């Protein structure tokens, strides 16, 4: 799996968009970008993944740069319940282990 | 939405005792995993399991650990003789195997406390 780099922490005002960046400059052509989050004392929760096109689901949007060396997870209207550690992973998670880094600790502030 | 369920949510065990952690993966999923997270640390891979065999295991997964899918629905992690350093959250995960990009889905974990 390619190494990813994320800021250790971020704050976001409640109701505003949270934009979480991730660098994955060594990602290879067949590796996907996945985002998970871990709310305190719970298991990692899958959010979204993509290869090269931007993706959107009911939880978030994923923007991947054209060169695929970085991506941004967007939570369009952050709520207090979005306070969590967010993990960006580059690889293929089926048939293979997920390697979690330290992630970004997002605090949504009232 | 289907989810991975784990029992018990909290297990307290004396050092040296055997413990079995149980997981019910998402129905029709084919690949199964155990991870652990020591308090304040990263989530670490332990073992992956497919077709009733271990596919891969980490250095953490030594002879004290074993996994089993006894009845086609449960997936268990056994620690034969627990040590204080086994205290951690243990997460089970599964994926459908219907494509290399399929995400893993995690349970909410079992908190194992060794006294």
């Amino acid at each position: 799996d390619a190494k990813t780099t994320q800021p250790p922490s971020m704050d976001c005002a409640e109701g505003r968009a949270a934009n979480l960046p991730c660098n994955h400059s060594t990602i290879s052509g067949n590796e996907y970008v996945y985002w998970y989050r871990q709310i305190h004392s719970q298991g990692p929760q899958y959010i979204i993944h993509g290869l090269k096109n931007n993706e959107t689901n009911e939880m978030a949007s994923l923007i991947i740069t054209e060169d695929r060396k970085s991506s941004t997870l967007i939570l369009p209207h952050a709520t207090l319940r979005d306070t969590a550690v967010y993990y960006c992973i580059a690889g293929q998670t089926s048939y293979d282990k997920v390697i979690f880094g330290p992630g970004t600790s997002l605090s949504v502030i009232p | 939405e289907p989810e991975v369920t784990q029992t018990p949510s909290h297990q307290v065990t004396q050092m040296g005792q055997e413990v079995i952690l149980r997981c019910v993966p998402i129905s029709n999923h084919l690949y199964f995993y155990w991870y652990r997270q020591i308090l304040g640390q990263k989530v670490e891979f332990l073992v992956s399991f497919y077709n009733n065999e271990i596919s891969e295991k980490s250095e953490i997964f030594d002879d004290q650990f074993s996994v089993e899918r006894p009845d086609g629905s449960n997936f268990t992690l056994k620690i034969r003789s627990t040590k204080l350093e086994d205290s951690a959250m243990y997460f089970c995960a599964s994926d459908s195997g219907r494509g290399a990009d399929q995400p893993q889905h995690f349970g909410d974990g079992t908190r194992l406390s060794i006294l």
Side-chain angles (χ1 to χ4, degrees):
Chain A
D1 291 358
K3 181 177 167 54
T4 61
T5 305
Q6 301 176 249
S9 63
M10 292 181 64
D11 292 338
C12 177
E14 188 179 16
R16 304 297 292 269
N19 296 281
L20 292 94
C22 179
N23 286 322
H24 32 79
S25 59
T26 61
I27 195 169
S28 63
N30 64 347
E31 289 184 319
Y32 291 75
V33 179
Y34 299 82
W35 284 84
Y36 283 79
R37 73 181 182 183
Q38 189 174 23
I39 296 169
H40 182 62
S41 298
Q42 297 182 19
Q45 178 188 23
Y46 165 74
I47 300 172
I48 198 167
H49 75 285
L51 184 62
K52 48 187 173 183
N53 296 323
N54 298 337
E55 301 287 345
T56 295
N57 64 20
E58 65 277 5
M59 290 182 70
S61 295
L62 173 60
I63 308 297
I64 303 174
T65 57
E66 196 168 334
D67 64 7
R68 302 208 326 121
K69 292 185 177 181
S70 66
S71 61
T72 302
L73 178 76
I74 301 172
L75 308 178
H77 305 287
T79 71
L80 298 179
R81 287 175 294 182
D82 292 321
T83 292
V85 178
Y86 287 77
Y87 301 101
C88 169
I89 293 146
Q92 290 183 343
T93 67
S94 187
Y95 328 138
D96 199 4
K97 58 186 177 290
V98 176
I99 299 174
F100 290 91
T104 295
S105 178
L106 175 70
S107 297
V108 180
I109 301 166
Chain B
E1 185 172 322
E3 56 184 30
V4 175
T5 57
Q6 292 186 241
T7 55
S9 57
H10 190 190
Q11 174 80 45
V12 181
T13 300
Q14 292 287 332
M15 185 173 59
Q17 296 295 304
E18 176 184 284
V19 66
I20 298 175
L21 309 182
R22 303 181 191 279
C23 168
V24 179
I26 294 173
S27 178
N28 297 324
H29 276 196
L30 300 177
Y31 290 83
F32 313 108
Y33 311 83
W34 283 101
Y35 295 79
R36 81 170 187 191
Q37 186 175 33
I38 294 171
L39 186 63
Q41 297 186 22
K42 292 185 286 187
V43 177
E44 302 173 286
F45 168 77
L46 290 178
V47 65
S48 58
F49 191 86
Y50 170 69
N51 201 25
N52 283 319
E53 290 185 346
I54 290 174
S55 305
E56 185 178 357
K57 58 184 180 180
S58 71
E59 291 180 354
I60 304 167
F61 195 88
D62 62 22
D63 292 345
Q64 293 300 312
F65 290 87
S66 62
V67 288
E68 194 177 37
R69 190 158 158 80
D71 57 11
S73 62
N74 290 285
F75 179 50
T76 61
L77 174 70
K78 184 195 301 189
I79 309 175
R80 199 176 352 265
S81 178
T82 49
K83 303 188 276 284
L84 292 176
E85 53 264 38
D86 294 327
S87 295
M89 285 290 293
Y90 288 81
F91 298 109
C92 173
S94 68
D95 82 69
S96 67
R98 286 195 290 271
D101 71 311
Q102 290 301 294
Q104 294 180 23
H105 295 271
F106 288 75
D108 273 340
T110 293
R111 180 175 300 282
L112 179 61
S113 299
I114 307 300
L115 304 180

